């Protein structure tokens, strides 16, 4: 294993990686660090195509010491699809979609769950608990079952019903709250405080290894492009772990010497009904203030107070990126337009990225000829209500 320690990006304190860790004492999430010079000596990019087509192909850059603890359902290596018809319509001729809807449990959350559960298993965890907007709960409940661990999942009543069913099917202890993910988070904190250490907090960025699974999206994009980085990566941002992870992956790849110095500009996409990161970015602030009355059809990005706000905003500014808020009506219109032109039904969070891409190209922020990658973070089939079929005629 090439994992050396955990690092606090806020106060700089180093933490031991061989013991269970949640947040730093200063309240910041922790980041896993590796001996990258040793990794560079151990493996080269030419080796990866010889390995299985899953995220564990990057095992030297993942935090498992013993492969016996790997908990997997074949996650990773999702397709990077060219979308010429829709791209031509909005003026982005080199537009691609990374389709995470084909991953186990139907969303990119399986990446974080696979690595997070595997590492928790290795460190002796027997039960995890977490708040969720839906898909993360589905994934962590599923992978916990695979690992023989217990899971307590707390989600809002308004979360997609399929996620509720996935958790129950996986044998999780599912609890529902009449509120937002922030309300679910408070319930989880109460459960953990009363557990006398028997439940591990696996909430978003409250442990360091979910991010390590999600960063593999960045590795895959670069490998699928022949070890070339795109010009722009557009990401739907709620808790922001995927965006932070992709940013971390790109820096690791550059330090390894596997890509050049020029990195993609990152774009965080939120809904106008819940846009704390967009507001903080526009104001030049380092922290985001809580968003009041959060609501959007893109339920997965309804996060009024993201714990990783500092890391998200830093990634955007370090990459010369930006943050964009888009309207729900446009999200649904672009979802349908894209499906009709490209034959792929996106989740609303992925469709929000298309809306952002369209606006950024129209405004000139995305320039002609640039290569743009959009993340579709989940299967559109998990959100059947995004397509209205009430007007379809009944034939006799």
């Amino acid at each position: 294993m090439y994992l050396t320690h955990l690092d606090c990006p806020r106060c700089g304190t180093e933490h031991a990686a061989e013991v269970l860790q949640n947040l730093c004492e200063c309240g910041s999430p922790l980041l896993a660090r590796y001996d990258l010079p040793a990794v560079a000596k151990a493996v080269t990019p030419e080796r990866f195509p010889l390995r299985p087509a899953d995220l564990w192909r990057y095992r030297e850059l993942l935090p498992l010491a013993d492969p016996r603890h790997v908990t997997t359902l074949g996650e990773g290596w999702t397709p990077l699809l060219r979308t010429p018809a829709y791209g031509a319509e909005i003026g982005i001729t080199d537009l691609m979609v990374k389709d995470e809807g084909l991953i186990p449990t139907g969303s990119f959350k399986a990446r974080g769950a696979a690595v997070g559960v595997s590492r928790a298993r290795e460190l002796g965890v027997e039960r995890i608990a977490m708040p969720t907007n839906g898909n993360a709960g589905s994934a962590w409940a599923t992978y916990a079952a695979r690992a023989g661990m217990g899971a307590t999942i707390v989600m809002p009543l308004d979360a997609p019903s399929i996620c509720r069913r996935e958790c129950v099917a996986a044998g999780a202890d599912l609890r529902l709250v009449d509120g937002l993910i922030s309300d679910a988070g408070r319930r989880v904190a109460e459960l953990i405080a009363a557990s006398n250490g028997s439940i591990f907090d696996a909430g978003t960025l409250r442990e360091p290894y979910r991010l390590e699974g999600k960063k593999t999206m960045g590795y895959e994009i670069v490998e699928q492009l022949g070890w070339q980085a795109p010009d722009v990566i557009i990401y739907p941002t709620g808790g922001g772990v995927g965006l932070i992870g992709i940013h971390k992956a790109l820096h690791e790849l550059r330090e390894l010497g596997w890509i050049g110095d020029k990195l993609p500009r990152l774009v965080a996409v939120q809904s106008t009904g819940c846009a704390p990161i967009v507001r903080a970015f526009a104001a030049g602030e380092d922290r985001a203030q809580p968003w009041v009355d959060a609501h959007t059809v893109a339920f997965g990005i309804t996060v009024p107070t993201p714990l990783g706000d500092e890391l998200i905003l830093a990634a955007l500014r370090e990459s010369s990126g930006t943050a964009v808020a888009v309207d729900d009506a446009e999200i649904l219109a672009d979802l349908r337009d894209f499906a009709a032109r490209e034959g792929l039904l996106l989740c609303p969070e992925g469709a929000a990225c298309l809306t952002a891409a369209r606006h950024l190209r129209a405004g000139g922020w995305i320039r002609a000829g640039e290569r743009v990658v959009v993340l579709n973070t989940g299967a559109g089939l998990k959100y059947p209500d995004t397509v209205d079929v009430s007007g379809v005629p009944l034939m006799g």
Side-chain angles (χ1 to χ4, degrees):
M1 183 172 70
Y2 297 90
L3 177 68
T4 58
H5 65 281
L6 303 173
D7 173 62
C8 176
R10 182 185 296 167
C11 71
T13 301
E14 291 190 5
H15 296 259
E18 62 271 14
V19 295
L20 278 173
Q21 302 281 1
N22 284 118
L23 301 177
C24 180
E25 288 80 1
C26 73
S28 172
L30 298 175
L31 300 177
R33 300 301 184 191
Y34 300 83
D35 184 348
L36 295 180
V39 171
K41 292 179 181 178
V43 65
T44 61
E46 292 76 19
R47 294 278 299 278
F48 295 117
L50 304 177
R51 296 179 174 182
D54 59 33
L55 65 79
W56 299 100
R57 69 201 280 122
Y58 308 113
R59 55 183 175 267
E60 289 85 359
L61 292 158
L62 293 173
L64 268 289
D66 188 340
R68 292 177 299 176
H69 295 298
V70 169
T71 304
T72 182
L73 290 165
E75 59 287 336
W77 204 248
T78 55
L80 185 62
L81 305 170
R82 296 191 179 277
T83 58
Y86 187 84
E89 179 187 351
I90 66 173
I92 303 176
T93 56
D94 198 357
L95 177 67
M96 287 174 279
V97 170
K98 177 76 166 158
D99 186 16
E100 293 290 290
L102 299 180
I103 210 165
T105 73
S107 88
F108 77 121
K109 303 289 188 177
R111 293 181 186 268
V115 177
V117 166
S118 295
R119 184 61 172 157
R121 180 185 182 186
E122 185 166 62
L123 294 175
V125 171
E126 295 182 355
R127 173 172 288 275
I128 58 99
M130 61 182 299
T132 176
N133 269 331
N135 280 320
S138 302
W140 283 75
T142 299
Y143 280 83
R146 181 80 166 167
M149 293 166 50
T152 298
I153 308 296
V154 186
M155 72 171 66
L157 277 170
D158 291 338
S161 63
I162 184 62
C163 298
R164 192 181 310 174
R165 298 172 191 277
E166 287 176 293
C167 291
V168 171
D173 171 20
L174 177 65
R175 318 263 181 113
L176 302 176
V177 297
D178 187 7
L180 299 171
I181 191 171
S182 50
D183 301 301
R186 284 188 284 273
R187 297 295 179 87
V188 168
E190 293 168 1
L191 290 170
I192 290 172
S195 74
N196 295 318
S198 64
I199 302 177
F200 180 66
D201 188 348
T204 301
L205 288 174
R206 291 186 176 275
E207 56 77 49
Y209 302 114
R210 177 193 299 218
L211 188 148
E212 294 303 288
K214 291 187 180 179
K215 77 177 181 183
T216 59
M217 290 184 289
Y219 294 157
E220 287 182 22
I221 289 168
V222 169
E223 184 178 355
Q224 288 169 327
L225 292 176
W227 297 99
Q228 297 292 318
D231 297 296
V232 177
I233 297 177
I234 305 180
Y235 194 87
T237 304
V241 183
L243 186 142
I244 299 164
I246 290 172
H247 182 249
K248 183 175 187 286
L250 292 166
H251 279 265
E252 289 172 347
L253 290 171
R254 184 169 66 179
E255 188 171 340
L256 285 163
W258 295 353
I259 60 173
D261 289 337
K262 184 181 178 183
L263 299 183
R265 309 195 305 280
L266 301 178
V267 179
V269 181
Q270 299 192 302
S271 165
T272 53
C274 184
I277 295 298
V278 176
R279 182 172 62 189
F281 183 83
E285 298 172 350
D286 295 329
R287 302 298 304 269
Q289 298 302 312
W291 191 271
V292 178
D293 190 28
H295 61 280
T296 172
V297 67
F299 199 77
I301 55 176
T302 314
V303 181
T305 313
L307 178 62
D309 55 350
E310 288 175 285
L311 296 172
I312 299 166
L313 291 163
L316 297 179
R317 294 187 175 117
E318 288 174 14
S319 68
S320 300
T322 191
V324 179
V326 296
D327 179 78
D328 278 6
E330 288 190 285
I331 292 173
L332 294 176
D334 284 319
L335 183 151
R336 292 190 295 270
D337 190 16
F338 184 83
R341 292 179 181 276
E342 298 290 353
L344 177 62
L345 180 61
L346 304 180
C347 66
E349 296 81 11
C353 293
L354 292 178
T355 305
R358 179 165 55 79
H359 285 301
L360 290 171
R361 178 67 188 106
W365 191 88
I366 293 176
R367 297 180 287 272
E370 288 195 304
R371 173 171 285 176
V372 178
V373 173
V374 160
L375 271 295
N376 178 50
T377 49
L381 292 176
K382 299 187 84 168
Y383 304 84
D385 292 339
T386 58
V387 180
D388 183 11
V389 296
S390 60
V392 176
L394 176 64
M395 298 183 69

